[in-house]
């Protein structure tokens, strides 16, 4: 088993693969792949050494995955504290959020149902928006746009917590395009359709993308004065907003759920004074950047562990993992004896007897 999983053998198997959607290898091609074979006694020592090394690596990987889960919980806790007014100190000189618009609702924390800090308001998303802009559905060329082409963004451009411009599909050059659909720096984009887990994913676009346009499944949210796009992004990513989005999502298939503009507008969020929005966003960015650095270190550790797995197997089947013993029966002698035993054994009848066991 370990020899077949060794890097050189895996590479040889990969070179003999056939098929498009599902790869396969024939018995003949598999049987022709050279396999490093040690003396039987050394095989047993190698297996013990591999499994000891992999056990230690597995324990380390388990610890790293636990750290990743804890980091996610910390990230979620930071966001919960941010949208509930528990992350930074309030300033009584701030302009109350109720002065921003006609926010005729009780100042209740949507997470705890407790009163929000002074100057905050619990409102609907629709109260915070000047308008919602949508793109349209296009016939596409089934590949990303190249220089001189225009691409319509896919929902995956908004799925992973950051805007990914490469997630697009080119549209024919003769397509009619409204310039208002163009993706611009500072846009707050909302995915109105996706799986249950990712429907309602939203991102801020860091820079202009003249060659990209909105799709019919992406919405551009334009906040009113006094509500920053950065704050609205935090609010829509928060746990209470996510729960509402998932509850409002409709559709018969889990692979594609939809949130209408009306349901999006009805989602309740908490809004602090404008000056406090700036302070909270800045503090979230500071803390989350540290969490992100920790996550990168965890990913690097997991990648290093995967490399060590490959290194252990490579070393094992190059004869460097355990010491050799000159008293071991050579593998060539063992294999010759096995061939002799096979040649001397009675040949099995290849005809089917038709008798069921």
């Amino acid at each position: 088993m370990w020899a077949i999983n060794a890097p050189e053998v895996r590479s040889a198997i990969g070179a003999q693969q056939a098929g498009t959607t599902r790869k396969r290898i024939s018995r003949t091609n598999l049987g022709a792949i050279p396999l490093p074979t040690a003396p039987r006694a050394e095989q047993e020592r190698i297996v013990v050494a591999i499994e000891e090394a992999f056990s230690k690596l597995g324990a380390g990987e388990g610890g790293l995955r636990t750290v990743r889960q804890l980091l996610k919980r910390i990230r979620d806790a930071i966001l919960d504290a941010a949208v509930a007014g528990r992350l930074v100190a309030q300033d009584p000189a701030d302009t109350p959020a109720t002065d921003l618009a006609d926010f005729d609702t009780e100042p209740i924390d949507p997470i705890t149902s407790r009163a929000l800090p002074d100057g905050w308001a619990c409102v609907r998303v629709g109260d915070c928006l000047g308008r919602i802009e949508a793109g349209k559905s296009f016939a596409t060329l089934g590949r990303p746009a190249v220089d001189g082409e225009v691409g319509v963004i896919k929902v995956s451009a908004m799925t992973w917590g950051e805007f990914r411009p490469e997630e697009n599909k080119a549209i024919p050059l003769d397509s009619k395009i409204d310039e208002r659909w163009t993706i611009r720096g500072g846009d707050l984009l909302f995915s109105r359709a996706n799986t249950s887990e990712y429907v309602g994913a939203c991102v801020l676009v860091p820079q202009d993308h003249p060659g990209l346009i909105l799709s019919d499944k992406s919405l551009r949210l334009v906040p009113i004065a006094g509500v920053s796009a950065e704050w609205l992004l935090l609010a829509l990513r928060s746990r209470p907003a996510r729960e509402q989005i998932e509850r409002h999502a409709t559709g018969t298939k889990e692979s594609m759920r939809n949130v209408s503009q009306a349901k999006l507008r009805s989602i309740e969020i908490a809004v602090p004074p404008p000056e406090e929005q700036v302070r909270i966003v800045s503090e979230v960015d500071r803390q989350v950047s540290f969490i992100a650095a920790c996550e990168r270190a965890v990913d690097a550790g997991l990648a290093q562990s995967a490399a060590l797995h490959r290194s252990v197997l490579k070393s094992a089947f190059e004869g460097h993992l355990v010491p050799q013993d000159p008293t071991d029966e050579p593998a060539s002698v063992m294999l010759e004896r096995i061939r002799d035993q096979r040649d001397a054994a009675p040949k099995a009848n290849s005809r089917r007897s038709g008798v069921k066991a």
Side-chain angles (χ1 to χ4, degrees):
M1 179 188 71
W2 293 124
I4 290 173
N5 281 306
E8 292 80 0
V9 177
R10 293 299 309 162
S11 178
I13 290 173
Q16 296 293 334
Q17 287 180 150
T20 52
T21 57
R22 179 175 294 180
K23 299 295 184 181
R24 57 189 180 276
I25 184 170
S26 69
R27 293 186 183 185
T28 300
N29 288 339
L30 179 61
I33 291 174
L35 200 66
T37 305
R40 175 56 188 262
E42 189 175 341
Q43 291 179 32
E44 294 174 357
R45 295 196 298 274
I46 289 173
V47 167
V48 170
I50 289 174
E51 292 180 349
E52 285 180 352
F54 282 11
S55 176
K56 293 175 182 177
L57 288 171
E61 289 174 354
L64 288 171
R65 292 192 179 95
T66 298
V67 170
R68 176 169 271 288
Q69 292 172 352
L70 291 173
L71 289 171
K72 182 182 183 305
R73 290 169 60 184
I74 293 171
R75 184 191 289 265
D76 292 343
I78 291 169
L79 193 53
D80 281 354
V83 300
R86 301 192 301 271
L87 193 64
V88 301
Q90 279 72 51
D91 186 337
D94 289 343
T95 304
T98 49
D99 291 352
L100 303 178
D102 186 18
F103 289 167
D104 187 20
T105 56
E106 293 295 323
I108 301 298
D109 182 345
I111 296 178
T112 64
S113 297
R114 295 181 302 198
L116 288 165
D118 291 341
W120 285 53
C122 181
V123 302
R124 292 180 174 84
V125 168
D127 298 326
C128 301
L129 298 178
R131 62 187 185 278
I132 298 177
E133 299 172 354
K136 62 170 290 187
S137 177
F138 285 91
T140 68
L141 303 178
R143 56 167 176 77
V146 296
D147 290 345
E149 293 181 327
V150 172
V152 59
I153 60 171
K154 302 190 294 185
V155 294
S156 52
M158 299 164 281
T159 298
W160 309 111
E162 60 181 11
F163 182 63
R164 297 191 176 182
E166 69 276 9
E167 295 294 324
N168 72 82
K169 288 186 178 180
I171 60 177
L173 292 175
D174 59 352
S175 300
K176 292 184 178 180
I177 299 172
D178 190 323
E179 289 298 323
R180 291 175 295 180
W181 300 331
T182 302
I183 306 295
R184 298 183 293 270
D187 282 350
L188 174 57
L189 302 183
F190 179 94
S191 174
R192 71 160 186 83
N194 209 321
T195 63
S196 295
E197 182 179 2
Y198 294 115
V199 63
C202 46
V203 293
L204 271 175
V205 180
Q207 61 189 48
D208 291 349
H209 292 277
L212 295 180
I213 58 175
L214 295 169
S215 71
D216 62 325
K217 294 182 175 63
S218 56
L219 303 175
R220 177 163 44 218
L221 310 184
V222 182
I224 61 173
V227 177
S228 73
E230 292 82 3
W231 170 259
L232 192 51
L233 176 71
L234 294 183
L236 289 172
R237 286 180 172 175
S238 68
R239 180 162 49 89
R242 286 298 314 162
E243 290 173 354
Q244 294 175 74
I245 289 170
E246 292 174 15
R247 188 166 62 247
H248 289 321
T250 60
T252 56
K253 295 182 179 179
E254 287 296 315
S255 60
M256 189 54 69
R257 309 285 282 177
N258 294 273
V259 175
S260 68
Q261 291 193 30
K263 292 296 186 183
L264 169 60
R265 290 179 178 276
S266 72
I267 293 169
E268 292 185 348
I269 61 172
V271 177
E275 300 89 346
E276 192 171 343
Q277 292 176 34
V278 174
R279 295 196 298 272
I280 292 173
V281 168
S282 176
E283 181 61 16
V284 169
D285 286 346
R286 187 187 70 81
Q287 295 193 24
V288 168
S289 65
F290 176 74
I291 298 296
C294 294
E295 288 172 337
R296 288 193 295 272
V298 169
D299 290 342
L302 290 171
Q304 185 178 20
S305 182
L308 286 171
H309 275 83
R310 295 189 295 270
S311 179
V312 167
L313 289 177
K314 185 175 186 295
S315 179
F317 295 101
E318 289 179 348
H320 303 313
L321 189 63
V322 299
Q324 279 72 54
D325 186 337
T327 65
D328 289 343
E329 178 187 50
S332 58
V333 175
M334 175 188 68
L335 294 173
E336 184 63 31
R337 186 175 66 256
I338 291 172
R339 280 191 290 268
D340 291 343
Q341 291 171 349
R342 282 181 174 173
D343 292 342
K347 302 299 181 185
N349 189 347
S350 61
R351 295 181 62 188
R352 296 175 61 125
S353 64
V355 178
K356 293 183 179 179

